[in-house]
Amino acid sequence: MIIGNKEFKFKEQTYIMGILNVTPDSFSDGGRYSTVTEALKHAGQMEAEGVDIIDVGGESTRPDYIQVSEEEEINRVVPVIKELKKHFNIPISIDTCKSKVAQSAAETGADMINDIWGLKYDGNMAGVIQKYNVPACIMHNRKEAVYKNYMADIISDLQESIDIGLKAGIKRDKLIVDPGIGFAKTYEMNLILMNRLEELHRLGLPILLGTSRKSVIGLTLDVPVNNRLEGTIATTVMGVMKRCGIIRVHDVLANYRAVKMTEAILREHK
């Protein structure tokens, strides 16, 4: 898959997506990178630490988050994306479920769209992705954590999202799926999903795993959000072992090293 000007060989290795939240209220780093200067500085740090994609978000998706207007979200992300494209040669992803935000980001140079509602929140999202011919990550999500057959329902829900994309004309080789750890899932459901990630391969698409600092780690280890690095690394290692193509994280260097070490063991060489 080509994202930006970079080829991603998901069958050969796992890549790191670094989180750049330009929000005042994200659950673990809200307000830290909400100015363009701060965002660029953090992007530079992530580049030095080995990041492969930078995912820019302008609206928090933490539990009970307050939704912002499309205009506010655009005003947060577009100036940052514009400067990132000037200063870095790294593919840029826009984390949004709103088609107008996605369109503004794509027009500014965003190379990928990351939709936490799997094309189901905004009926125009799939059309925007098709129009700008960019890769898209479609995440599993529901309004409630109610399932008849848990893993089968997740796979079915993701297939529905894939079908929405294909029907809109998005090419299959432009799609990535995300199991949605922490979204419409209980604590136990998140553990089950992590343990059975490989079942998502039946969809035939690369998998993006996003667990960084999430509550499943906090609840397991009984630690606050700023003490969840080791738990995140454990999930990253599991993700590599289960052949996930992208790991989305806050702490790039530690997770980059964990990925490289795990890959070396699996390959039996550096």
Side-chain angles (χ1 to χ4, degrees), residues 81-94:
I81 293 170
K82 186 179 293 184
E83 291 302 310
L84 287 173
K85 297 300 290 187
K86 281 184 189 176
H87 293 90
F88 299 97
N89 193 30
I90 299 171
I92 305 300
S93 167
I94 175 66

Side-chain angles (χ1 to χ4, degrees), residues 220-233:
T220 300
L221 303 179
D222 192 23
V223 291
V225 70
N226 59 339
N227 284 333
R228 296 177 186 174
L229 178 58
E230 299 91 345
T232 298
I233 290 172

Side-chain angles (χ1 to χ4, degrees), residues 135-167:
C137 179
I138 48 180
M139 195 188 83
H140 177 266
N141 209 340
R142 280 188 174 195
K143 292 183 179 178
E144 294 181 299
V146 178
Y147 302 86
K148 291 182 179 179
N149 186 336
Y150 179 54
M151 288 301 297
D153 286 353
I154 287 176
I155 291 168
S156 176
D157 288 351
L158 283 170
Q159 186 61 58
E160 286 178 3
S161 290
I162 293 166
D163 291 342
I164 291 170
L166 296 177
K167 187 176 180 181

Side-chain angles (χ1 to χ4, degrees), residues 18 20-22 54-58 77 80-81 84 92-96:
L20 182 56
N21 287 321
V22 290
I54 293 176
D55 192 38
V56 178
V77 301
V80 171
I81 293 170
L84 287 173
I92 305 300
S93 167
I94 175 66
D95 178 5
T96 187

